[in-house]
Structure formats: structure tokens, C-alpha cells
């Protein structure tokens, strides 16, 4: 533990001209007294750490000293590729590895390039969860992430509605963070399936590793499954008459693929410039909520019950504003 901290201290001083005791204490998550003791230990070990006294003083390395301890461990190198996803790294328990990797890369760079990581971080940031949504980190995510990194089999209990819990032996291939929700793409038997991490009730990571199918492509697999899932939800249809503005806004109101499909099969504009489309929807209830925002730019023709509901809403709005 202390050895790792001493190495990190050297790398910090190597990547910056100087640092105060308070700055080092904050980076190393120790007290300033511990920083003083660590600096003394490094000096006794032959590392030329020099302490500048006074209010503006601090610690620095003398004479352009450079350590060779900049090689990345495998888990650090892997975490470095995810460094643009700080919240995801934290939830998977990899933030320490990513921090160490970034520090080693920074220490190995020329002085003129050492601020590159800060420059990028201040200009680009990925915030995965959607608005008005504060997802909780699944308790078992770190264990699942560890199995994914090491290609280890897991035995998991999974809460499946409405049949209760099931137990599966899984080969965990990859994790996906979608709108703040974590999913596991895994092989169960001969099939690849998708599981929500927050529905796991127990996960036991095996010592046994599985042979990864090198042909498996996680981004492509997820894209195909996500498209299948979205399409499977659209079990009903609504017939609409759309204005030009309604047609323009439709893809921003409902599922884009469903809107594109509907507009591709639209009738030619009538004398009033209106086109009729058949739109796949999840349900009449969902369609009502989605299409209501189009106002007078969309007229529901069928089903009759949904048309009647919109007519009733229009009448109540007229009474309210007239």
C-alpha cells in the first residue's frame, strides 16, 4: 500500500513542476504529515525530492529526475480506454486503475504535453444517464465487471417477471450502459442474451475461464438486439393524417425507426397537403401521450377509441380556453 503511494507521489512530482503538501495530500488521500514522511522516505531511498520552504513552497524533483516506473499494467491500460466515462469507471470499481494509468501516461509525456489530459477533460465529457433520472449503481456491478474483464464464468440468480427467479451459468462477454441502466451481454448455453444488471440478486464468479468467441462484436450485437427490442414493443398501429409540419416533427416525437417506416409508406399529399400514414406504436395509451404534443398537426383516423379520446381532449381544451 505504502509502496504504491510512494510511486504515485514520484509520478505526480514528475508530471508537474512542483506541488504543495496540501495538493499532494489531496491527490494521495493522506494527511500532510504523511506526505512529509513519504518525501523523507523517498529522499533516503535516493529519489531527489526537494522541499521548498515558506508559504509558496512545495515539493519538486531536482535535476530533471525521471523514474522508469511508467509502464502500464494490463488492467490500467484497459481502464485507460474508458477514461472518458468517469461515472462508468467509478461504478465498475475501475476509477483507481484509470487514475493510475492517466498519471503514468502524463509522467511519460514531454513537459509541453502534460496538460493534454486536462485540456481534453475540460472540453469533452460524456454524461450517460438521461435527464430527470438519477439511477442507482447496481450492487453486483463490480463483481460482474470483474468477471467480464477476466473472462470468468459466473453463476447468477436473475429476477425474471412474472416467473420469479432463475439461476443461470453465464459467460459474460460485455457490459453496456444505456441511458443510465447497465446491461450484461452474455452467452447462456449456445445463445447470446441480454440481462439487466439491477435484476441480478446473486452473482458468484467462478475460477474457471471461458473461451471467448473472437467473432463476437459487442457494439454490433447490442445494436441488433436493441433494434429488435425496440421493434418488439410496437404491437399496435395508429392511422394518422399529418400536415407537413406534423411529418417533420413525427420522428422527434415517437420511435424514430417507426416514424421513418410510417413516412416511407405515406400516401401522396391530398389537396390540403396532408398525408396519411400507418404508425407502429407500443399501445394506444403510449400513442396518446406521444401524439398529443403534435397538436393540430396530426389527426388520428384509427383506431376509433383513440380518435374519440383525442376528440374529447380537443373539446375540453376548447372549453378551457374559450
Amino acid at each position: 500500500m505504502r509502496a504504491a503511494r510512494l510511486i504515485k507521489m514520484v509520478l505526480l512530482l514528475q508530471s508537474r513542476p512542483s506541488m504543495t503538501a496540501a495538493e499532494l495530500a489531496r491527490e494521495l488521500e493522506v494527511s500532510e504529515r504523511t506526505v512529509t514522511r513519504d518525501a523523507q522516505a523517498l529522499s533516503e531511498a535516493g529519489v531527489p525530492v526537494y522541499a521548498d520552504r515558506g508559504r509558496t513552497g512545495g515539493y519538486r524533483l531536482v535535476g530533471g529526475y525521471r523514474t522508469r516506473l511508467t509502464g502500464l499494467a494490463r488492467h490500467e491500460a484497459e481502464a485507460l480506454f474508458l477514461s472518458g466515462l468517469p461515472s462508468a469507471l467509478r461504478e465498475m470499481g475501475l476509477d483507481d486503475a484509470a487514475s493510475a494509468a492517466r498519471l503514468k501516461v502524463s509522467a511519460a509525456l514531454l513537459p509541453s504535453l502534460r496538460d493534454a489530459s486536462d485540456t481534453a477533460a475540460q472540453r469533452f465529457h460524456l454524461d450517460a444517464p438521461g435527464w430527470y433520472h438519477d439511477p442507482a449503481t447496481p450492487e453486483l456491478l463490480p463483481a460482474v465487471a470483474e468477471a467480464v474483464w477476466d473472462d470468468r464464468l459466473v453463476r447468477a440468480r436473475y429476477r425474471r417477471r412474472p416467473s420469479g427467479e432463475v439461476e443461470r451459468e453465464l459467460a459474460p462477454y460485455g457490459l453496456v450502459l444505456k441511458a443510465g441502466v447497465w446491461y450484461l451481454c452474455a452467452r447462456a448455453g449456445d445463445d447470446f442474451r441480454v440481462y439487466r444488471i439491477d435484476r441480478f440478486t446473486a452473482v458468484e464468479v467462478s475460477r474457471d475461464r471461458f473461451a471467448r468467441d473472437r467473432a463476437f462484436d459487442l457494439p454490433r450485437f447490442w445494436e441488433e438486439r436493441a433494434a429488435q427490442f425496440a421493434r418488439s414493443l410496437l404491437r399496435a398501429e395508429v392511422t394518422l393524417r399529418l400536415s407537413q409540419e406534423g411529418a417533420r416533427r413525427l420522428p422527434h416525437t415517437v420511435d424514430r425507426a417507426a416514424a421513418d417506416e410510417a413516412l416511407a409508406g405515406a400516401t401522396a399529399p391530398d389537396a390540403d397537403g396532408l398525408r396519411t400514414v400507418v404508425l407502429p406504436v407500443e399501445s394506444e395509451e403510449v400513442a396518446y401521450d406521444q401524439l398529443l404534443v403534435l397538436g393540430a398537426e396530426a389527426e388520428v383516423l384509427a383506431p376509433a377509441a383513440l380518435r374519440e379520446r383525442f376528440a374529447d381532449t380537443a373539446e375540453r381544451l376548447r372549453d378551457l380556453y374559450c
Side-chain angles (χ1 to χ4, degrees), residues 9-10 13 38-40 42-43 46-51 59-62:
M9 184 174 180
V10 173
L13 293 174
D38 286 352
Q40 179 66 29
L42 287 171
S43 180
V47 178
V49 178
Y50 181 78
Y59 294 91
R60 59 186 175 87
L61 294 177
V62 179

Side-chain angles (χ1 to χ4, degrees), residues 41-106:
L42 287 171
S43 180
E44 292 173 357
V47 178
V49 178
Y50 181 78
D52 291 316
R53 305 297 179 183
R55 181 177 298 178
T56 59
Y59 294 91
R60 59 186 175 87
L61 294 177
V62 179
Y65 176 86
R66 295 182 65 80
T67 177
R68 295 180 180 275
L69 296 172
T70 53
L72 293 179
R74 180 176 181 84
H75 70 288
E76 293 172 343
E78 291 170 335
L80 187 61
F81 286 98
L82 297 173
S83 58
L85 303 168
S87 60
L89 283 167
R90 184 169 56 253
E91 293 178 3
M92 288 189 291
L94 295 171
D95 48 343
D96 286 342
S99 175
R102 287 193 297 270
L103 185 58
K104 289 182 178 181
V105 170
S106 179

Side-chain angles (χ1 to χ4, degrees), residues 104-122:
K104 289 182 178 181
V105 170
S106 179
L109 292 174
L110 293 173
S112 61
L113 299 177
R114 287 177 187 163
D115 66 343
S117 60
D118 291 337
T119 300
Q122 292 304 319

Side-chain angles (χ1 to χ4, degrees), residues 230-240 242 250-251 253-266 277-284 286-288 290-291 302-303 306:
R231 194 67 183 85
S232 70
L233 295 176
L234 307 179
R235 302 185 182 93
E237 289 183 343
V238 173
T239 303
L240 303 171
L242 296 171
L250 188 66
T253 305
V254 301
D255 178 79
R256 179 172 289 273
D260 290 343
E261 177 184 327
L263 292 172
V277 302
V278 177
L279 176 71
V281 296
E282 184 175 342
S283 66
E284 290 186 22
V286 172
Y288 174 80
Q290 292 176 329
L291 298 175
L306 184 60

